[in-house]
Amino acid sequence: MPSTKLTSFLNSGLNELKDKGLYNVIHPLEGANGPKIQLEGKELINLSSNNYLGLATDERLKEVAKDAVTKYGVGSGAVRTINGTLQLHVELEEKLAKFKHTEAAIAYQSGFNCNMAAISAVMNKNDAILSDELNHASIIDGCRLSKAKIIRYNHSDMEDLRQKASEAVKEYEKVMVITDGVFSMDGDVAKLPEIVDIAEEFDLITYVDDAHGSGVLGEGKGTVKHFGLSDRVDMQMGTLSKAIGVVGGYVAGSQELIDWLKVQSRPFLFSTSLTPADIRASIEAIDILSESKELQERLWENTKYLQEGLKKLGFSVGDTETPITPVIIGDEQKTQQFSKRLMEEGVYAKSIVFPTVPRGTGRVRNMPTAAHTKEMLDEALSVYEKLGKELNV
Ligand code: PMP
């Protein structure tokens, strides 16, 4: 007999979301998540993936993943600390450390659980965490899980951070400052040089979530490298799911940090490790990124082309400094209508509205990748032109 309390809780919650127009409808893809996707029997230009370099469908990654399945099977069989550590995991971690210019690295099953794992393993109830107000949900949840005091500072406001840091160090044992390297909704880059200066002044632990910076900035090595701060950031977190094109998360840092995470972070201890195909494909992706800048160059070329094109048509792309390209529309309903019309006209770009972003700043978020051709971007731009006139944006 189903619980009546659960049923009424679920139905009232779902109805409320639907009434407010906040219920997210998921459209399953009928093929690969490439520059074009197949959806409801229709082919669309895909401007919504995080597959920055097109590696999710790269033939080289597919080949090595197949070989890894043949050699090792489809699953790793156990958590890392029992016997779910393959030589491949070790190789991946060594590559990640080298890639990030750190002593060591640790891999997790996703970027989300990596943040949950690493933040909570290092911080506790006697500590405080200074967190940018626009940080990703996984950072927020990791901070909550740690039981440390969470002190939000205004987005990229260095005066506010400095002020709050100077107070926090008087009251708490350890204090961490944590920030996205690239902010996922606006595409702006964190002010890392200033953050690191403040951290050194007050002896703060520095944690950078570079999910959107790795593979994109700093010759592919991320936001920390972009600013030349590799030896001044304690914890560099990244994902294997965006530019790397696979799935997984990691932290790169000192040997003792990684040794600690290997004995203290709970998803490492209690959740089955990454599969052989995931690891082998990620290793291949890092090798490709280390050997050639071709994909990054194409990503940036496409980014400039799309952003310039949108600006020429009179759209606002906000303050983005990266491929993340928000077309700011403002009104929530108009934003959702714009995205729906884009889809009808053959372009898949998701609307992002309150509560994910502040009220009145609804936007359609466009993610160009290295895999898009100029023809695809031209086609998308001509649809934008048509809809801008139609919906008066
Ligand atoms: N951090 C940030 C800033 C992200 O944008 C994301 C992905 N949405 C994550 C962490 C989580 O990464 P993953 O998708 O690999 O779990």
Side-chain angles (χ1 to χ4, degrees):
M1 184 64 176
S3 152
T4 54
K5 290 229 161 124
L6 176 64
T7 309
S8 88
F9 164 77
L10 297 174
N11 285 332
S12 74
L14 287 167
N15 288 337
E16 192 186 332
L17 286 174
K18 284 175 188 163
D19 289 348
K20 288 183 181 160
L22 297 175
Y23 184 76
N24 189 24
V25 181
I26 294 171
H27 306 281
L29 305 187
E30 289 140 19
N33 196 336
K36 284 198 173 185
I37 47 174
Q38 203 71 29
L39 220 152
E40 292 170 2
K42 214 174 140 186
E43 192 176 68
L44 303 166
I45 295 167
N46 177 17
L47 287 175
S48 275
S49 85
N50 295 312
N51 179 21
Y52 286 111
L53 302 174
L55 288 171
T57 54
D58 189 282
E59 290 305 324
R60 294 163 288 186
L61 271 68
K62 282 158 71 172
E63 275 312 306
V64 296
K66 278 188 237 166
D67 291 347
V69 169
T70 306
K71 185 162 176 198
Y72 299 97
V74 291
S76 68
V79 305
R80 289 287 301 271
T81 46
I82 297 188
N83 66 358
T85 297
L86 304 172
Q87 192 51 43
L88 278 179
H89 288 95
V90 178
E91 195 186 326
L92 172 64
E93 290 169 341
E94 284 171 1
K95 290 247 178 213
L96 286 167
K98 199 162 167 223
F99 191 62
K100 290 284 173 177
H101 300 282
T102 59
E103 285 173 8
I106 179 171
Y108 294 93
Q109 304 85 343
S110 81
F112 201 105
N113 87 356
C114 174
N115 273 335
M116 303 273 284
I119 301 166
S120 64
V122 168
M123 304 305 280
N124 62 49
K125 63 180 175 20
N126 303 319
D127 301 330
I129 305 176
L130 298 155
S131 175
D132 188 290
E133 64 176 335
L134 295 190
N135 276 343
H136 188 256
S138 55
I139 295 183
I140 298 167
D141 287 5
C143 293
R144 286 182 181 149
L145 193 61
S146 76
K147 299 199 176 76
K149 169 80 179 165
I150 301 165
I151 304 168
R152 288 183 358 149
Y153 61 90
N154 297 334
H155 176 52
S156 281
D157 181 340
M158 294 300 105
E159 266 312 300
D160 195 39
L161 171 62
R162 200 169 185 290
Q163 171 65 24
K164 287 174 173 157
S166 72
E167 284 162 18
V169 287
K170 291 180 205 147
E171 210 179 319
Y172 297 94
E173 259 174 32
K174 303 197 289 305
V175 180
M176 171 184 278
V177 55
I178 189 160
T179 182
D180 280 9
V182 173
F183 290 89
S184 57
M185 294 300 142
D186 293 290
D188 55 324
V189 178
K191 294 179 183 163
L192 283 190
E194 282 128 294
I195 291 175
V196 166
D197 282 346
I198 294 170
E200 286 176 356
E201 184 180 345
F202 294 103
D203 194 17
L204 313 178
I205 299 163
T206 42
Y207 188 121
V208 178
D209 172 339
D210 214 15
H212 292 276
S214 300
V216 175
L217 290 170
E219 292 165 358
K221 295 189 170 179
T223 315
V224 173
K225 169 75 173 27
H226 170 73
F227 288 115
L229 299 169
S230 300
D231 54 351
R232 293 174 68 197
V233 169
D234 296 301
M235 300 173 77
Q236 293 192 53
M237 175 269 172
T239 71
L240 302 171
S241 62
K242 301 187 192 297
I244 298 293
V246 191
V247 71
Y250 59 90
V251 175
S254 68
Q255 189 63 56
E256 59 264 43
L257 170 72
I258 303 309
D259 289 347
W260 178 253
L261 294 178
K262 283 186 177 168
V263 291
Q264 287 294 325
S265 56
R266 293 167 71 80
F268 189 86
L269 298 169
F270 299 115
S271 180
T272 298
S273 55
L274 283 168
T275 73
D278 295 332
I279 312 165
R280 187 59 193 86
S282 299
I283 290 172
E284 189 70 12
I286 296 164
D287 285 345
I288 292 171
L289 285 193
S290 307
E291 282 158 20
S292 159
K293 302 283 162 275
E294 191 194 326
L295 292 175
Q296 283 135 44
E297 281 164 12
R298 225 182 294 152
L299 168 67
W300 279 100
E301 238 175 68
N302 283 345
T303 297
K304 288 197 179 107
Y305 192 78
L306 182 70
Q307 292 181 354
E308 288 307 318
L310 286 166
K311 283 193 237 168
K312 257 188 227 147
L313 293 174
F315 291 101
S316 161
V317 297
D319 296 324
T320 184
E321 302 166 75
T322 61
I324 297 170
T325 307
V327 165
I328 314 281
I329 294 176
D331 178 74
E332 278 71 27
Q333 275 186 347
K334 202 177 217 182
T335 309
Q336 278 165 334
Q337 197 191 355
F338 201 102
S339 169
K340 185 164 165 274
R341 285 287 296 121
L342 280 170
M343 196 166 149
E344 286 163 1
E345 296 288 333
V347 177
Y348 191 81
K350 274 289 223 190
S351 61
I352 298 176
V353 295
F354 179 82
T356 308
V357 291
R359 222 181 264 287
T361 69
R363 78 272 318 264
V364 174
R365 193 175 66 152
N366 300 274
M367 306 290 274
T369 71
H372 287 100
T373 60
K374 287 273 168 350
E375 291 69 36
M376 292 177 200
L377 298 178
D378 281 336
E379 212 175 310
L381 285 167
S382 75
V383 173
Y384 260 98
E385 184 173 19
K386 174 175 171 185
L387 298 186
K389 286 180 190 144
E390 180 184 308
L391 297 172
N392 199 21
V393 175

